Amino acid sequence: GAGVSQSPSNKVTEKGKDVELRCDPISGHTALYWYRQSLGQGLEFLIYFQGNSAPDKSGLPSDRFSAERTGGSVSTLTIQRTQQEDSAVYLCASSLSRTGRNYGYTFGSGTRLTVV
Amino acid sequence: AQKITQTQPGMFVQEKEAVTLDCTYDTSDPSYGLFWYKQPSSGEMIFLIYQGSYDQQNATEGRYSLNFQKARKSANLVISASQLGDSAMYFCAMRGIIQGAQKLVFGQGTRLTINP
């Protein structure tokens, strides 16, 4: 597609439930990133996928968080046993290969997750 | 580790005036890139401008320019002739080329309000 697509745009879930957030990157972009943005805060890095390389999971806050990227395209971020502190906007971004002087990151519109 | 610091949580400027948004960074990576993003109330992240650490000249994009002072590790964003539509959150970010693992590290942001 023309841009990075994320779904759902909004998700309200009960504490303790599992949720899945989806990201469909720009076609041809080999790198995909997940960030979390709490209300009024900056963006917190969660995980990064580059081609077929092992993902950089260094930003995942706990083992309740996991992500996968199938076929080098669509990615799913899964949060198990959600807690209220997981409430945030989850942003996905994609970019071209790591080589290159100025490869732009294109962000999706985000998924607003509310845990009640 | 890489770190971005934005010391101005909020800025208020009269329309048509120029505004400077501060950003300082810290990294041990010898090569890196610096980015500015705009996030309006709609939540989308809009790429504004990029500066490479080895670029000889400061980057400019229309009304946006980046005042890059490498020795001081600062990368301030200058917006000339501000407009009401410039009201938004502004994030400074950096990406290390070697140690940064290609992920963008963001500052906490500055909320810019343009007054008519």
Side-chain angles (χ1 to χ4, degrees):
Chain A
V4 177
S5 178
Q6 290 188 247
S7 60
S9 55
N10 280 285
K11 176 72 176 179
V12 180
T13 190
E14 292 182 351
K15 178 181 174 181
K17 299 282 190 182
D18 297 352
V19 295
E20 285 190 352
L21 312 180
R22 177 188 168 103
C23 173
D24 199 343
I26 292 175
S27 178
H29 280 193
T30 58
L32 186 147
Y33 311 79
W34 283 98
Y35 286 84
R36 177 170 71 174
Q37 186 177 26
S38 300
L39 187 63
Q41 300 296 310
L43 278 70
E44 174 190 6
F45 168 77
L46 297 178
I47 188 169
Y48 157 64
F49 296 90
Q50 172 62 54
N52 296 320
S53 303
D56 176 354
K57 304 179 182 181
S58 60
L60 294 179
S62 77
D63 59 8
R64 296 187 296 104
F65 288 72
S66 63
E68 62 177 20
R69 188 179 185 191
T70 54
S73 181
V74 173
S75 176
T76 303
L77 177 69
T78 300
I79 309 173
Q80 296 178 311
R81 304 180 302 282
T82 52
Q83 303 294 314
Q84 288 185 329
E85 60 263 29
D86 299 335
S87 296
V89 176
Y90 289 81
L91 289 162
C92 175
S94 70
S95 71
L96 289 170
S97 167
R98 61 190 294 170
T99 59
R101 177 184 174 276
N102 175 16
Y103 55 91
Y105 291 51
T106 303
F107 282 82
S109 298
T111 293
R112 181 176 298 278
L113 175 66
T114 305
V115 182
V116 298
Chain B
Q2 299 173 83
K3 185 178 180 181
I4 293 284
T5 302
Q6 294 180 254
T7 57
Q8 305 154 310
M11 288 273 290
F12 294 85
V13 175
Q14 287 299 118
E15 189 180 7
K16 300 181 183 178
E17 289 184 352
V19 57
T20 298
L21 305 181
D22 295 341
C23 172
T24 58
Y25 60 91
D26 191 20
T27 182
S28 56
D29 217 316
S31 181
Y32 49 89
L34 295 154
F35 299 74
W36 277 92
Y37 280 84
K38 173 183 178 181
Q39 188 179 44
S41 56
S42 58
E44 61 189 306
M45 293 289 287
I46 302 169
F47 167 73
L48 295 179
I49 196 166
Y50 169 87
Q51 178 82 44
S53 59
Y54 285 104
D55 290 343
Q56 295 297 314
Q57 294 187 333
N58 287 344
T60 60
E61 290 287 347
R63 293 186 300 112
Y64 304 108
S65 61
L66 201 152
N67 183 3
F68 181 47
Q69 299 188 40
K70 193 171 183 178
R72 295 184 177 185
K73 293 190 175 180
S74 74
N76 298 340
L77 176 71
V78 180
I79 306 174
S80 63
S82 58
Q83 303 171 356
L84 295 179
D86 294 334
S87 294
M89 282 289 287
Y90 287 80
F91 291 99
C92 180
M94 77 176 298
R95 178 197 73 226
I97 303 302
I98 298 175
Q99 298 182 19
Q102 307 306 311
K103 61 178 181 275
L104 278 178
V105 174
F106 286 83
Q108 290 300 302
T110 295
R111 181 172 298 281
L112 176 64
T113 302
I114 307 298
N115 295 315

